Amino acid sequence: MASYFQTLLVLVMVTLVTLLVIPVNAELSPHFYDKICPQALPAIKSAVFQAIKKEQRIGASLLRLHFHDCFVNGCDGSVLLDDTASFTGEKTAQPNNNSIRGFSVVDEIKAVVDKACKRPVVSCADILAIAARDSVAILGGSQFWYQVLLGRRDARTASKAAANSNLPPPTFNFSQLISNFNTHGLNVRDLVALSGGHTIGFARCTTFRTRIYNETRLIDPKFAASLRNKCPKKGNDNVLEQLDATVARVDTTYFKDLLHKKGLLHSDQELFKGKGSASDNLVKLYSRSTSAFARDFKASMIKMGNLKPLTGRKGEIRCNCRRIN
Ligand code: HEM
Ligand SMILES: *[C@@H]1O[C@H](CO)[C@@H](O)[C@H](O)[C@H]1NC(C)=O
Ligand SMILES: *[C@@H]1O[C@H](CO)[C@@H](O)[C@H](O)[C@H]1NC(C)=O
Ligand SMILES: *[C@@H]1O[C@H](CO)[C@@H](O)[C@H](O)[C@H]1NC(C)=O
């Protein structure tokens, strides 16, 4: 009996030591920077706060950058890489071109955190994950705060082709959205909760033009008419419209808008058709319960943030988020 427990104890200790000392395929952890640089998270939070104070929309833009990073070969900072004569990044892929923004704010955050840590130890991929979390918590309040998992490293590659094929366009119907999310290991609950990211930020006229001119079902006629005043049939592609009625608040208005057929994007309204589908029921639930939305949004953000991170010795910690070391 005694020797059985001794053997068990040795086994447990060997396993523990192995796990602690050799992070071969390390998992992300909320405590990753606790020892390496305890100043990192507060420094990022204050930089994000200042950036939002300067321009409210930046919170939305930072959240979207994390999404567009994670859905293209994992959360590895690839979306931040600039094109050069010899390198093609993801910035000019169809879903990103003239659309994703916030790169100079990411540069600012990177400078602030590297200074606070006295050396570059926080990856650009983690900066996006932390900035997205902080933006949502700043614009939504403490119920939307979650412990973000960390330890991602930065890619030395990017893929414009993957950005074109892996990011869902706003023309997608419900089954296309579901299969896109499924390829990322995400389900209908993740799809509806994460689409709630559209509780903040703006879309360009070109992304909802077909909806307001050519769709007749599932769009409120007065809503469509008022949008047609701002977004002409031709031209003014870059005119902005808010994605929900309370554009600077992380709240449940996005889902309430869907119940009233006031989703701005075709893909938004695909989540609610009033036929009692699983997705309809989730939209209804989130429209009346901030706590249900917050709970599921946070859980899905963590799932999205776990998409294929580079850890351990893979990748690198970039010195400049726009280029590989
Ligand atoms: C479900 C599929 C999705 C589609 C089809 C979609 C599509 C779009 C489109 C077309 C825009 C406007 C882009 C422009 O006009 O340049 C946009 C903006 C935005 N998206 Fe999504 N999106 C999706 C999911 C998500 C997710 C999962 C998040 C984050 C959790 C997100 C966060 C945002 C934010 C915050 C903005 C506003 C950005 C800003 O104002 O700078 N989206 N999205
Ligand atoms: C990206 O946008 C620029 C500026 O509008 C345009 O000239 C260019 O053709 C676009 N690139 C792609 C690949 O669509
Ligand atoms: C969704 O779009 C795909 C591709 O265009 C099409 O094959 C499918 O029939 C559509 N599904 C529904 C339910 O409309
Ligand atoms: C609406 O549909 C018509 C006929 O298919 C098409 O010619 C037109 O370009 C569409 N308009 C918009 C704004 O998408």
Side-chain angles (χ1 to χ4, degrees):
M1 205 57 181
S3 86
Y4 169 78
F5 278 115
Q6 270 172 10
T7 314
L8 193 69
L9 194 68
V10 168
L11 261 174
V12 166
M13 282 174 61
V14 167
T15 312
L16 271 177
V17 167
T18 311
L19 285 175
L20 290 174
V21 177
I22 320 166
V24 194
N25 239 329
E27 288 205 350
L28 302 181
S29 149
H31 304 297
F32 192 82
Y33 296 107
D34 285 6
K35 289 236 169 67
I36 315 171
C37 179
Q39 309 91 311
L41 270 66
I44 294 173
K45 183 184 168 185
S46 110
V48 171
F49 187 85
Q50 291 307 321
I52 292 178
K53 216 168 88 176
K54 212 162 122 191
E55 193 215 0
Q56 227 163 25
R57 185 185 176 195
I58 210 69
S61 306
L62 291 170
L63 172 61
R64 188 165 185 240
L65 277 182
H66 181 47
F67 163 49
H68 281 214
D69 186 26
C70 293
F71 264 47
V72 182
N73 296 326
C75 316
D76 60 1
S78 58
V79 70
L80 300 173
L81 293 171
D82 277 344
D83 283 14
T84 69
S86 58
F87 182 89
T88 307
E90 296 165 8
K91 291 184 176 179
T92 58
Q94 200 59 245
N96 292 338
N97 200 27
N98 302 314
S99 184
I100 48 169
R101 60 196 294 281
F103 299 109
S104 56
V105 168
V106 173
D107 293 341
E108 280 168 35
I109 299 171
K110 174 69 169 161
V112 164
V113 76
D114 283 358
K115 196 175 168 205
C117 299
K118 301 189 178 71
R119 58 201 198 288
V121 289
V122 182
S123 67
C124 299
D126 274 354
I127 287 176
L128 291 184
I130 300 162
R133 187 277 308 268
D134 289 343
S135 295
V136 167
I138 288 166
L139 298 170
S142 58
Q143 354 183 22
F144 285 94
W145 187 90
Y146 54 94
Q147 215 169 28
V148 62
L149 298 182
L150 300 167
R152 298 170 191 80
R153 290 168 64 84
D154 297 322
R156 295 178 52 82
T157 58
S159 173
K160 181 174 173 173
N164 273 318
S165 60
N166 299 356
L167 289 164
T171 49
F172 265 12
N173 63 30
F174 182 73
S175 44
Q176 291 172 306
L177 290 168
I178 282 288
S179 49
N180 175 280
F181 271 60
N182 284 344
T183 63
H184 296 104
L186 300 172
N187 59 30
V188 61
R189 192 172 280 267
D190 300 313
L191 168 64
V192 179
L194 287 173
S195 293
H198 290 174
T199 179
I200 48 175
F202 294 82
R204 291 166 304 143
C205 172
T206 179
T207 65
F208 57 85
R209 181 179 277 130
T210 305
R211 171 153 168 78
I212 60 173
Y213 286 101
N214 278 3
E215 291 181 19
T216 46
R217 291 174 313 140
L218 292 168
I219 186 162
D220 177 87
K222 282 185 186 152
F223 175 68
S226 80
L227 290 170
R228 287 194 293 264
N229 283 330
K230 304 180 195 168
C231 175
K233 264 189 185 157
K234 279 208 174 85
N236 277 347
D237 282 6
N238 296 327
V239 163
L240 294 175
E241 182 58 33
Q242 50 194 64
L243 281 158
D244 84 349
T246 55
V247 68
R249 288 295 304 169
V250 170
D251 61 14
T252 59
T253 304
Y254 169 77
F255 298 103
K256 293 192 177 99
D257 288 348
L258 296 185
L259 295 184
H260 299 114
K261 302 184 188 165
K262 291 179 179 174
L264 182 62
L265 305 177
H266 175 77
S267 52
D268 291 327
Q269 198 60 54
E270 281 294 295
L271 305 178
F272 185 83
K273 295 176 176 169
K275 291 179 179 165
S277 66
S279 162
D280 279 3
N281 290 335
L282 286 166
V283 171
K284 275 191 199 156
L285 169 66
Y286 299 154
S287 74
R288 56 179 154 74
S289 169
T290 307
S291 62
F293 171 47
R295 178 198 65 205
D296 288 357
F297 181 77
K298 294 186 288 185
S300 296
M301 283 295 286
I302 291 167
K303 262 174 101 173
M304 184 173 86
N306 271 329
L307 291 176
K308 293 203 280 183
L310 298 173
T311 56
R313 291 181 170 188
K314 293 179 200 136
E316 63 185 19
I317 306 296
R318 262 179 234 151
C319 295
N320 177 336
C321 291
R322 295 174 182 268
R323 51 177 178 267
I324 59 177
N325 292 342

